[in-house]
Amino acid sequence: MRAIQITQTGGPDVLALRDLPNPTPGPGQALMQIEACGVNFIDVYLREGRYPSQLPFVPGQEAAGTVIALGADVASDSFKVGDRVVWCHVMGTYAEFAVAPLSKLIAIPESISVRQAAAAMLQGMTAHYLAHSTYAIQAGDTVLIHAGAGGVGLLLIQMAKRLGARVLTTVSTEEKAALAREAGADETILYTREDFATKVRELTGGKGVPVVYDSVGKTTFDGSLACLRPRGVMALYGGSSGAVPPFDLIQLSTKGSLYVTRPTLKDYTATRADLEQRAGDVLRWVAEGTLKLRLEHNYPLADAAQAHRDLEARKTTGKVLLIP
Ligand code: NDP
């Protein structure tokens, strides 16, 4: 099969197209023909070596496609050949075929396409746990969401609005601001041109916000803390601009008994029940048309390196997909 393989960590050029043997499904697993795989920022961290992984490896941990074979012991009442499925958190999806445990598979509702499912799963469930569990948004809250035109950002804005929040969001350009507003953002702040913490204080009458959803990390962390009201929650869920350096915990006290958490999707979909509930909500909202996906960035599998370059250069908005 054609697949992207990483034999050494580094820049986008380490994403090499290779001919590799097709995987075979083991016990409890299914083999899928992939129709779309999701590109996520975590793929960049793994490619760079910021997150360690054993070499060589096929990157990617989100895809959707069709079941084409099942492991020997798979019960006949579970998934079957021909089912359309989506999954995440199983490495090896930048490929034409991949295996995954059945425990990770979610059936794709009839009314949504395989590409929509691939685009919704990982970023959708991330937005879901951030808005409902890490800090459960209450109607009337004013919340700050960084990188509002990004993959997670556009979905998180929509979920926060659905929960009745007033949404402030940061973006780097006017074009991205327009997309964030289309998704429901009440206020957009160009954090490349103005000090977002000052602006957030202004927009909240000096009070600050109860939660900041920060995926940008290094360049925003200090400003994000400055946006919080006393006992506010800093949900640092990524580091698109780089890792946050160590900081003195006393700041949490002097800035108002703040909470900092560094959540990750794995822990919020650790049980089958959690996974089904979050994926179920996200896919149902997509099917109903109440959660809109932005699917403008599709690349052939062979162009994985370009997809990474564009994601890192802040050129993409919404979901980035690779099509095998
Ligand atoms: P995005 O589509 O949001 O892309 C990243 C965005 O970050 C850019 O478009 C850009 O928006 C902004 N950004 C700000 N500074 C930089 C910089 N120096 N370099 C690159 N981008 C920058 O990506 P995803 O939706 O895939 O992921 C968003 C974040 O969420 C990532 O940090 C990822 O690691 C994290 N994540 C965390 C999960 C978790 O469970 N913890 C799960 C899924 C994702 P702009 O141009 O507007 O500034």
Side-chain angles (χ1 to χ4, degrees), residues 45 123 126 129 150-152 172 176 191 215 237 240 263 265 314:
Y45 307 147
Q123 293 171 341
T126 300
Y129 84 72
V152 178
S172 61
K176 289 187 175 187
Y191 57 176
S215 61
Y237 69 97
S240 312
L265 176 60
R314 304 162 86 161

Side-chain angles (χ1 to χ4, degrees), residues 100-125:
L102 267 73
S103 59
K104 299 277 188 192
L105 301 183
I106 295 288
I108 301 175
E110 252 176 41
S111 57
I112 75 173
S113 71
V114 170
R115 284 193 192 189
Q116 284 177 306
M121 185 77 169
L122 194 149
Q123 293 171 341
M125 291 198 298

Side-chain angles (χ1 to χ4, degrees), residues 161-181:
K161 289 308 292 179
R162 187 183 188 100
L163 290 166
R166 173 179 175 232
V167 175
L168 319 183
T169 190
T170 59
V171 286
S172 61
T173 65
E174 291 289 3
E175 294 71 27
K176 289 187 175 187
L179 290 176
R181 279 195 296 273

Side-chain angles (χ1 to χ4, degrees), residues 28-40:
Q29 293 183 331
L31 171 67
M32 273 70 62
Q33 177 159 17
I34 294 175
E35 286 174 47
C37 42
V39 175
N40 294 288

